[in-house]
Amino acid sequence: MHLRKRVMVTGGAGFLGSFLCERLLEAGCDVFCVDNFYTGSKRNVLPLLDNPYFELHRHDITFPLYVEVDEIYNLACPASPIHYQVDPVQTTKTSVHGAINMLGLAKRLKARILQASTSEIYGDPSVHPQHESYWGNVNPIGPRACYDEGKRCAETLFFDYYRQHRLRIKVARIFNTYGPRMHPNDGRVVSNFILQALRGDPITIYGTGEQTRSFCYVDDLVEGLARFMEKTPDDFIGPVNLGNPREFTILELAEKVLELTGSSSRLVFKPLPMDDPKQRRPDISLAREALDWSPRVPLDEGLAQTIAYFEQLMREGCL
Ligand code: NAD
Ligand code: UDP
Ligand code: UDP
């Protein structure tokens, strides 16, 4: 009946969501973007608003939603520690009530649904690198728990809807992703370091800076999500790690940002936040095999794009 596939993206006005909406439109889909603009913004989807196949709908997914679509990407949830800790109860509600509503919607429509889960479900991992079979090491009562446990419960709900209602689910565990359109004030390490370097402010290293992360460029990540949804059979449900397996210490990242911006900012050392994971690197062998996917954009190239974006925001007086 419908010539174009109708795809809903919750959190579509956020950092990852806006790139995903763009990619889906390019692939010829009819895109229904749902967002309450908590951390996302209209600015992220401004160039899409003229496209007749793009529809922007203000809605909080903790409330039911009755629409007609063929596929759902569930990305709605604040993702940076600063943002998800402002209203931790709402963060858990978004993950848990939001998942129930979106799963209920998918059940009624018999639609395929993908969950944007996270490497945070591994917590402060005692296994390295992290493979999907690892169950994680999460403090259930700490300041990160609203996000980590919320996302873990969402995974449980997805798998129970799969087992109980035979729903067609896909669960992607996303590792640290960066790129243009990151929120300038979300406190994440890549945006913090770039802004500090561009302003000549001190670079804030939390702890010793020897903790590690693996940074994936947004284009690579979005390609992985789309392949998972579009190219894998219904019996391939995940969870699948999506991220870049190149691991860097936070000090190495700071050095790279200083080099690429030509900044002479100095480093300052601040206390490590509670429950901050010491190391993180995805084992992506499953994604390589099942999605024929691996990240292509090296850190230097992705950082250069991200730096150019923040320079542009500064020139426009948006910062
Ligand atoms: P983001 O904060 O830029 O995007 C989240 C979007 O969801 C925002 O537009 C926000 O306004 C919206 N939102 C929040 N609560 C909502 C609600 N109750 N109802 C409707 N909309 C709501 O973050 P992001 O980095 O784009 O992350 C997108 C998804 O990917 C999140 O689910 C996040 O947990 C997951 N993820 C991201 C990363 C990363 O490194 N960026 C890593 C792991 C997982
Ligand atoms: N729901 C929704 N849109 C729909 C169908 C369901 O938002 O099109 C929500 C509704 O709030 C419901 C929840 O999804 O409570 C779970 O739906 P489900 O059918 O799994 O269970 P129900 O609570 O209806 O028995
Ligand atoms: N970090 C830092 N300085 C900053 C912001 C973050 O040293 O200004 C550290 C933080 O403690 C963590 C790592 O960088 O060890 C990644 O932090 P981010 O908030 O980006 O992501 P997450 O901890 O959720 O992986």
Side-chain angles (χ1 to χ4, degrees), residues 23 132 147 272:
R23 191 197 182 282
E132 290 86 350
Y147 183 75
L272 192 67

Side-chain angles (χ1 to χ4, degrees), residues 79-82 84 119-120 144 147 176 182 186-190 192-193 196 203-207 209 211-213 215 250 253 271-273 276-277 280:
S80 80
I82 285 191
Y84 70 62
S119 54
E120 294 284 340
R144 295 175 83 105
Y147 183 75
N176 296 64
M182 290 184 87
D186 73 2
R188 280 191 263 195
V189 70
V190 172
N192 266 13
F193 285 4
Q196 290 163 346
I203 306 281
T204 52
I205 308 280
Y206 300 161
Q211 70 271 33
T212 68
R213 293 292 186 275
F215 300 100
I250 296 305
L253 176 73
L272 192 67
D276 197 277
R280 191 183 284 150

Side-chain angles (χ1 to χ4, degrees), residues 10-17 34-41 44 59-62 74-80 83 90 94 115-120 147 151 173-178 181-183 186 188:
T10 76
F15 161 49
L16 297 182
V34 171
D35 207 295
N36 68 351
F37 303 119
Y38 182 55
T39 50
S41 78
N44 286 339
H59 175 79
D60 181 331
I61 62 157
T62 61
N74 188 36
L75 270 62
C77 187
S80 80
H83 282 153
Q90 174 67 14
T94 294
Q115 167 69 355
S117 190
T118 168
S119 54
E120 294 284 340
Y147 183 75
K151 289 283 189 178
R173 290 182 179 156
I174 302 169
F175 283 64
N176 296 64
T177 302
Y178 71 100
R181 296 190 208 141
M182 290 184 87
H183 197 296
D186 73 2
R188 280 191 263 195

Side-chain angles (χ1 to χ4, degrees), residues 264-281:
S264 50
S265 288
R266 63 194 175 87
L267 306 184
V268 289
F269 291 83
K270 303 258 180 183
L272 192 67
M274 188 178 167
D275 295 337
D276 197 277
K278 283 179 277 307
Q279 53 181 7
R280 191 183 284 150
R281 169 155 61 99

Side-chain angles (χ1 to χ4, degrees), residues 216-217 219-221 223 227 243-245 292-299 301-302:
C216 186
Y217 189 61
D219 287 352
D220 283 332
L221 195 279
E223 176 63 27
R227 279 193 193 204
N244 194 317
D292 189 23
W293 173 89
S294 58
R296 294 176 186 283
V297 182
L299 186 60
E301 206 178 306

